[in-house]
Amino acid sequence: SQELEQSPQSLIVQEGKNLTINCTSSKTLYGLYWYKQKYGEGLIFLMMLQKGGEEKSHEKITAKLDEKKQQSSLHITASQPSHAGIYLCGAASGTYKYIFGTGTRLKVLA
Amino acid sequence: SQTIHQWPATLVQPVGSPLSLECTVEGTSNPNLYWYRQAAGRGLQLLFYSVGIGQISSEVPQNLSASRPQDRQFILSSKKLLLSDSGFYLCAWSLLEFTEQFFGPGTRLTVL
């Protein structure tokens, strides 16, 4: 079965610093989704990547899907306290089936 | 715009009691609907999905069941709760296969 591994598991950065979160799949990705979750709340969809080499940006968050389509990275530029939360990657693993990584907890110190 | 609602937001139930969690979607028709459980320190586990009224697919054998009585309504139920049923339950919808999902605010269930 396909698995998604995220690294690091947790991250503490000073406000203004850049950071990167990685998501590695055990199988080829046919769609990779990034979500953000605040503790005790639902997931907020950030962006979806489908094509190898694809890169998308939303405000100060950029996500890339590598050419081999087995790894994605999420990069935050000039982090702010509002970026704090849990970032999860997800992927379609079959018909109507999705899997998710265990998440990366981000804390941004003001 | 589309919105997804879940209730209740929190629930504390004794072992052996029944359960009913409700999810409704507004602003779209014939969505694919999903129930997930998120346990502490673990990722999201897909429990059920539905592609239409009355059509339910189960991913994990357990004492939970799901029903879809209306196009935009998805219900998660149990006849007798177990301690292991505690967790954060999330409902989600997607428009098509292999497209992004949109999640509800979740229900925190504690079974004592």
Side-chain angles (χ1 to χ4, degrees), chain B residues 12 33 74 81-84 86 101 103 106 111:
Chain B
V12 180
L33 297 172
F74 206 22
L81 283 168
L82 306 173
L83 286 173
S84 58
S86 293
Q101 297 175 303
F103 286 79
V111 182

Side-chain angles (χ1 to χ4, degrees), chain B residues 25-80:
Chain B
V25 179
E26 295 178 357
T28 188
S29 295
N30 196 31
N32 299 320
L33 297 172
Y34 311 82
W35 277 112
Y36 288 90
R37 178 168 56 206
Q38 187 178 34
R42 300 172 67 178
L44 273 71
Q45 180 185 37
L46 178 63
L47 302 175
F48 301 94
Y49 67 89
S50 171
V51 300
I53 296 174
Q55 300 178 59
I56 309 294
S57 295
S58 174
E59 288 299 298
V60 182
Q62 61 218 327
N63 67 323
L64 298 172
S65 62
S67 61
R68 185 171 177 173
Q70 300 180 43
D71 182 44
R72 290 170 289 178
Q73 185 184 30
F74 206 22
I75 297 172
L76 184 70
S77 305
S78 174
K79 292 182 179 178
K80 290 186 178 181

Side-chain angles (χ1 to χ4, degrees), chain A residues 39-81:
Chain A
Y39 181 77
E41 299 181 10
L43 279 67
I44 298 170
F45 171 71
L46 296 176
M47 57 192 87
M48 172 183 173
L49 304 165
Q50 285 186 297
K51 300 176 183 176
E54 186 174 13
E55 179 175 322
K56 287 187 177 178
S57 295
H58 175 67
E59 298 179 346
K60 292 186 178 181
I61 301 176
T62 300
K64 301 178 185 180
L65 181 62
D66 79 353
E67 292 288 344
K68 295 183 179 179
K69 296 176 68 176
Q70 285 199 258
Q71 187 174 51
S72 177
S73 60
L74 185 88
H75 185 76
I76 298 177
T77 303
S79 58
Q80 301 169 355

Side-chain angles (χ1 to χ4, degrees), chain A residues 30 33 35 37 39-45 48 50 86 88 92-102 105, chain B residues 32 34 36 38 41-44 46 49 51 59 88 90 94 96-106 108:
Chain A
Y30 293 100
Y33 315 88
Y35 295 87
Q37 183 182 29
Y39 181 77
E41 299 181 10
L43 279 67
I44 298 170
F45 171 71
M48 172 183 173
Q50 285 186 297
I86 302 169
L88 295 102
S93 64
T95 305
Y96 302 109
K97 298 178 185 178
Y98 296 80
I99 59 171
F100 292 83
T102 52
R105 290 181 177 271
Chain B
N32 299 320
Y34 311 82
Y36 288 90
Q38 187 178 34
R42 300 172 67 178
L44 273 71
L46 178 63
Y49 67 89
V51 300
E59 288 299 298
F88 191 52
L90 290 158
S94 70
L96 300 169
E97 188 179 354
F98 301 119
T99 59
E100 65 271 22
Q101 297 175 303
F102 299 96
F103 286 79
R108 174 77 56 191

